[in-house]
């Protein structure tokens, strides 16, 4: 039956609620089947073992609506459930123009922050059509399906409220393109890994403090990146090349990094890294993690010693955005379907060029400019921004383990 045909047709909203158990859905529809009704809509939610099952059906013919009510109530009572049946006409009210998905990460997610989010959605004319939990750990992640407001209006309203509400909020347009984002490109230092690689090298050269001060100024946008890079690398002159292996062994992946990459690869995404650091480390990460793309600066080594210079094209702020575009072209992915993740000012062009730019535990200037920010120390929470649930991640892990055993 078409939408126009059902607009004035008498319908019944049948609502069943109580303790969940196997067979309830089949039992309800077996009961309704005796009245030859058509199903217009169904929705079922289970929370902490309690089920709410709603069925919107056409009213039975031959004046049997009263009999249906009695039968459904009797079946519900036999199942120790409660039933409510409401008469009306037609389908559900059409959703407003505009479809957006609002993903909220809380650590924890409080009632106060949830109220604040809901009120701000209402303030820009949005209606919350559905709420779904994506994950309960390492953070609580929930997704609001919103209609009636533009994605940009929602993003502007909620971005300004995120810090005061104590949650991370991402707003994206709903639609098939969300799951079609097939390239993720990450910064390395303080994003994919917990360290600043040049500081690891500097520790071996005895100039860690000086390098750290310049790094902080560069990442905060106070210094030109290329100038700061040359200044810091010059302090490494004379280091033995054997230090490269030591630094590789000292690199610490960010919690959730392996899970993020493993899950993205299972979903068919391509994954790359761009870094203002060095190929001596990123090439190793590419091999270890199965990355598709990796680009960074290269420390010059002559006669087994670091010269204090870099060779080749400099990967700076503009270079990262340029590489994102290059990787997207090589992967055959439209730029609008890319995701970029970074923490420093030199990531800003890349974050803004991507379809979704994620500031990960970033400096204030980056959080304010990116599409969304994640301020928990777990890199795999980015999966929730893509609509991937924790259950899907764990199910994929189990499947892989079973495949290996077979």
């Amino acid at each position: 039956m078409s939408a126009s045909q059902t607009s004035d047709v008498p319908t019944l909203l049948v609502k069943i609620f109580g303790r969940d158990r196997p067979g309830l859905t089949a039992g309800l529809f077996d009961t309704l089947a005796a009245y030859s009704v058509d199903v217009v809509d169904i929705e079922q939610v289970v929370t902490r073992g309690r089920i709410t099952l709603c069925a919107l059906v056409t009213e039975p013919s031959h004046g049997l609506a009263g009999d249906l009510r009695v039968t459904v109530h009797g079946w519900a009572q036999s199942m120790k459930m409660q039933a409510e049946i409401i008469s009306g006409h037609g389908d559900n009210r059409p959703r407003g123009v505009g479809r957006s998905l609002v993903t909220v990460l809380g650590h924890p997610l409080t009632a106060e922050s949830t109220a604040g989010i809901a009120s701000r959605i209402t303030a820009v004319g949005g209606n919350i059509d559905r709420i779904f939990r994506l994950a309960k750990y390492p953070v609580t992640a929930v997704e609001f399906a919103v209609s009636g407001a533009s994605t940009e209006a929602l993003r502007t309203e909620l971005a300004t409220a995120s810090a005061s509400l104590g949650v991370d909020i991402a707003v994206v347009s709903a639609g098939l393109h969300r799951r079609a984002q097939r390239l993720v490109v990450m910064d390395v230092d303080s994003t994919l890994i917990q360290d600043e690689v040049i500081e690891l090298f500097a520790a071996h050269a005895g100039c860690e403090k000086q390098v750290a001060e310049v790094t902080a100024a560069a990442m905060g946008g106070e210094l030109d990146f290329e100038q700061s890079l040359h200044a810091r690398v010059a302090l490494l002159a004379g280091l033995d090349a054997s230090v490269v292996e030591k630094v590789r062994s000292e690199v610490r992946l960010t919690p959730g990094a392996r899970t993020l990459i493993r899950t993205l690869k299972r979903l068919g995404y391509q994954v790359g890294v761009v870094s203002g650091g060095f190929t001596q480390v990123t090439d190793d990460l590419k091999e270890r993690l199965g990355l598709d793309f990796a680009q960074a600066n290269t420390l010059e080594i002559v006669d087994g010693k670091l010269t204090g210079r870099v060779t080749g094209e400099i990967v700076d702020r503009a270079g990262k955005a340029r590489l994102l575009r290059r990787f997207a072209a090589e992967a055959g992915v439209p730029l609008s379907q890319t995701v970029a993740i970074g923490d420093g000012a030199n990531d800003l062009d890349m974050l803004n060029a991507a379809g979704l730019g994620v500031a990960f535990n970033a400096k204030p200037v980056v959080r304010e400019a990116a599409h969304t920010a994640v301020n928990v120390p777990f890199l795999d929470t980015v999966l929730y921004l893509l609509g991937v649930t924790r259950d899907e991640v764990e199910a994929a892990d189990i499947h892989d383990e079973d495949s290996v055993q077979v």
Side-chain angles (χ1 to χ4, degrees):
M1 194 176 292
S2 69
S4 60
Q5 290 173 313
T6 59
S7 59
D8 294 320
V9 170
T11 52
L12 299 174
L13 175 59
V14 181
K15 179 179 179 182
I16 304 297
F17 47 98
R19 186 172 298 282
D20 188 28
R21 73 202 74 172
L24 286 177
T25 305
L28 173 62
F29 285 97
D30 278 343
T31 302
L32 294 172
Y35 295 88
S36 300
V37 297
D38 294 334
V39 177
V40 179
D41 197 2
I42 310 171
E43 188 154 347
Q44 178 175 306
V45 176
V46 178
T47 305
R48 212 179 68 179
R50 309 290 292 187
I51 185 173
T52 299
L53 170 59
C54 295
L56 184 62
V57 300
T58 55
E59 188 176 287
S61 56
H62 309 299
L64 294 176
D67 189 54
L68 180 148
R69 289 172 181 272
V70 171
T71 303
V72 170
H73 279 286
W75 170 81
Q77 187 174 15
S78 73
M79 300 299 292
K80 298 182 179 178
M81 305 287 288
Q82 296 182 62
E84 180 181 0
I85 304 175
I86 302 171
S87 298
H89 285 81
D91 201 344
N92 302 307
R93 183 183 66 183
R95 295 180 182 178
V97 176
R99 303 281 190 278
S100 301
L101 297 171
V102 178
T103 306
V104 179
L105 308 179
H107 192 55
L109 178 62
T110 66
E112 182 181 7
S113 60
T114 305
I117 293 162
S119 66
R120 282 165 173 79
I121 290 173
T122 301
V124 293
N127 183 71
I128 300 171
D129 299 321
R130 186 168 296 159
I131 304 174
F132 177 72
R133 186 177 72 181
L134 296 168
K136 60 183 178 182
Y137 73 91
V139 299
T140 300
V142 295
E143 181 177 274
F144 294 73
V146 178
S147 62
S150 73
T151 298
E152 285 305 317
L154 280 168
R155 183 177 289 157
T156 300
E157 179 72 19
L158 292 171
T160 57
S162 177
S164 63
L165 293 173
V167 293
D168 297 327
I169 304 175
V171 182
V172 298
S173 296
L176 294 176
H177 71 279
R178 188 199 196 192
R179 283 293 186 102
Q181 290 171 320
R182 294 297 180 190
L183 173 66
V184 174
V185 177
M186 288 176 275
D187 173 44
V188 175
D189 293 13
S190 298
T191 300
L192 178 63
I193 66 174
Q194 300 177 61
D195 312 282
E196 291 288 335
V197 168
I198 196 165
E199 292 178 14
L200 297 179
F201 277 101
H204 292 280
C207 57
E208 186 176 13
K209 182 178 178 181
Q210 300 97 300
V211 165
E213 289 173 353
V214 179
T215 299
M219 293 301 99
E222 299 170 24
L223 290 177
D224 172 78
F225 177 80
E226 184 171 351
Q227 291 178 336
S228 70
L229 174 68
H230 289 304
R232 288 175 291 171
V233 171
L235 296 171
L236 307 181
L239 266 180
D240 193 275
S242 63
V243 79
V244 169
E245 287 301 324
K246 295 177 183 177
V247 167
R248 286 176 176 175
S249 68
E250 292 166 354
V251 165
R252 301 166 299 161
L253 291 174
T254 297
R258 287 187 183 277
T259 299
L260 173 66
I261 295 168
R262 182 174 65 243
T263 304
L264 289 172
K265 298 293 288 181
R266 288 172 183 163
L267 291 171
Y269 281 64
Q270 296 189 58
V271 184
V273 294
V274 290
S275 176
F278 310 110
T279 56
Q280 281 84 356
V281 171
T282 57
D283 287 350
D284 181 60
L285 289 170
K286 181 182 180 182
E287 183 177 350
R288 285 166 52 196
L289 300 174
L291 302 174
D292 300 285
F293 305 99
Q295 189 69 44
N297 301 301
T298 299
L299 291 169
E300 184 181 62
I301 298 175
V302 176
D303 296 330
K305 301 286 185 181
L306 273 64
T307 65
R309 296 186 294 270
V310 292
T311 62
E313 179 184 1
I314 297 297
V315 179
D316 56 8
R317 176 170 169 166
K320 288 189 173 185
R322 185 169 58 250
L323 287 165
L324 171 70
R325 294 186 177 92
R326 183 193 302 174
F327 293 167
E330 292 178 13
V333 174
L335 201 61
S336 62
Q337 294 178 5
T338 62
V339 180
I341 311 169
D343 75 297
N346 66 329
D347 297 313
L348 274 174
D349 289 1
M350 174 178 73
L351 297 181
N352 290 327
L356 176 64
V358 181
F360 181 74
N361 291 309
K363 285 50 174 190
V365 66
V366 183
R367 288 200 304 269
E368 293 168 7
H371 297 139
T372 188
V374 171
N375 295 301
V376 293
F378 312 108
L379 194 56
D380 53 339
T381 55
V382 172
L383 291 168
Y384 310 143
L385 306 183
L386 306 178
V388 181
T389 70
R390 193 78 207 176
D391 288 344
E392 289 173 323
V393 174
E394 293 177 354
D397 285 341
I398 293 171
H399 176 75
D400 269 19
E401 290 173 3
D402 290 344
S403 298
V404 170
Q405 290 172 3
V406 171

